[in-house]
Amino acid sequence: MLKLSANLSFLFQEHEFLNRFEAASKAGFRYVEYMFPYPYEATVLKEKLDQHNLKQTLLNFPAGNWDGGERGIAVLPGRQVEFKEGVSKALEYANTLQVPFINCLVGKGDESISHETQQECLKENLTYAAKQLAQHDITLLIEPINTYDIPGFFLNESGQVIDLINTLDQPNIALQYDVYHMQKMEGNLAETLAQQLANIGHIQIADNPGRHQPGTGEINYPYLFKHLEALDYDGFVGLEYAPDPDTLSSFDWIRRYELTL
């Protein structure tokens, strides 16, 4: 049985953020995720989770100046101290919220710096992060992002992340496989999921084009869900999509595809 996790950064936006926990619980969800917890005190978020009988599946490291266009800093030489501070901050939240996964958005590359230099910086930062997270039994996720939505993002394909996982050889690093991003970049979804299942720590979904709920685009989600069940995937499936026309009506696919919350 697939474990569906409501992404509160995308869903229930008709509610103020702290009210989305209640909305997710009332909709039947047991698991939630969201991008950044840092605008709120960890204890406040933990209270919301407990109050509504929810478990949080993941959060992201701080990603630099998000409003200024940054999408992570792990790949940027000269920002290592800031990255390490972000790791510490994320761990404080993860321990309070009892989160098993922390995702690293590595960031957009800097064209003024050689690819090799940025790659070495990334390896150094990821190794540091993995070792820190391992002390708390937390898995480090690395997510490739499509270049259409975020031009210049440093990691764009699942194979790049797999190469990093093999090179770094840290037991608690895994691929965050976002079906929407990978459909745009490489396709071949079912075969990749089968081949790399042991390296996949978390899956996120949205349809393409539009990044709306399953059933609104070209991806054959009924087949893909049955495929994941046949593979005995026991991780979470994060609903990271823009609901159309609204959040509650966007959940029709869950019933239609015979899934449960």
Side-chain angles (χ1 to χ4, degrees):
M1 180 183 297
L2 299 180
K3 297 179 289 189
L4 303 183
S5 175
N7 191 304
L8 302 185
S9 298
F10 281 71
L11 303 176
F12 303 105
Q13 291 195 37
E14 58 271 28
H15 302 282
E16 294 294 330
F17 181 77
L18 290 178
N19 294 329
R20 296 177 194 176
F21 295 85
E22 180 180 8
S25 179
K26 286 183 175 179
F29 287 95
R30 295 175 293 156
Y31 308 104
V32 296
E33 60 189 63
Y34 46 92
M35 295 179 68
F36 304 112
Y38 311 111
Y40 307 93
E41 293 292 334
T43 52
V44 172
L45 297 170
K46 183 63 165 63
E47 181 180 334
K48 290 293 183 180
L49 291 168
D50 292 344
Q51 180 181 357
H52 300 294
N53 298 310
L54 296 168
K55 294 185 182 300
Q56 185 169 331
T57 56
L58 64 80
L59 54 85
N60 291 338
F61 285 139
N65 183 3
W66 189 268
D67 291 339
E70 289 188 328
R71 292 298 181 265
I73 60 172
V75 73
L76 299 176
R79 306 283 290 276
Q80 289 96 329
V81 172
E82 183 182 349
F83 179 82
K84 290 179 179 179
E85 291 172 347
V87 171
S88 296
K89 188 173 186 179
L91 274 171
E92 291 176 5
Y93 276 83
N95 285 328
T96 298
L97 301 173
Q98 300 178 311
V99 174
F101 298 105
I102 301 179
N103 181 46
C104 180
L105 295 170
V106 302
K108 294 184 283 189
D110 185 336
E111 294 182 354
S112 69
I113 303 172
S114 73
H115 183 276
E116 292 74 18
T117 299
Q118 293 177 85
Q119 183 81 353
E120 287 307 309
C121 176
L122 178 60
K123 291 178 182 178
E124 174 188 323
N125 281 330
L126 292 177
T127 299
Y128 173 83
K131 290 180 176 179
Q132 294 299 307
L133 269 58
Q135 297 177 34
H136 303 267
D137 197 28
I138 295 173
T139 297
L140 170 64
L141 299 175
I142 309 172
E143 181 181 15
I145 303 290
N146 80 75
T147 55
Y148 302 95
D149 289 9
I150 306 182
F153 200 80
F154 196 75
L155 298 176
N156 317 121
E157 298 179 355
S158 57
Q160 293 174 304
V161 175
I162 298 302
D163 287 345
L164 274 172
I165 291 172
N166 292 334
T167 299
L168 298 177
D169 195 26
Q170 299 293 323
N172 65 320
I173 301 182
L175 166 66
Q176 177 161 299
Y177 190 86
D178 187 305
V179 174
Y180 165 76
H181 289 304
M182 293 303 93
Q183 172 70 358
K184 292 181 79 74
M185 292 304 301
E186 60 189 31
N188 204 30
L189 303 173
E191 185 173 349
T192 300
L193 287 167
Q195 290 179 347
Q196 299 300 337
L197 191 69
N199 289 312
I200 293 173
H202 188 76
I203 292 173
Q204 292 179 324
I205 60 171
D207 218 327
N208 181 62
R211 202 173 188 176
H212 300 306
Q213 63 267 23
T216 59
E218 65 187 355
I219 301 174
N220 188 348
Y221 270 109
Y223 173 83
L224 213 56
F225 292 138
K226 286 183 172 60
H227 182 60
L228 285 172
E229 290 178 336
L231 292 172
D232 291 326
Y233 173 69
D234 62 356
F236 298 100
V237 176
L239 279 54
E240 193 180 63
Y241 63 75
D244 181 33
D246 58 75
T247 299
L248 292 179
S249 66
S250 81
F251 297 146
D252 286 348
W253 62 272
I254 298 174
R255 171 190 51 77
R256 193 165 67 249
Y257 297 163
E258 300 181 340
L259 300 177
T260 60
L261 297 178

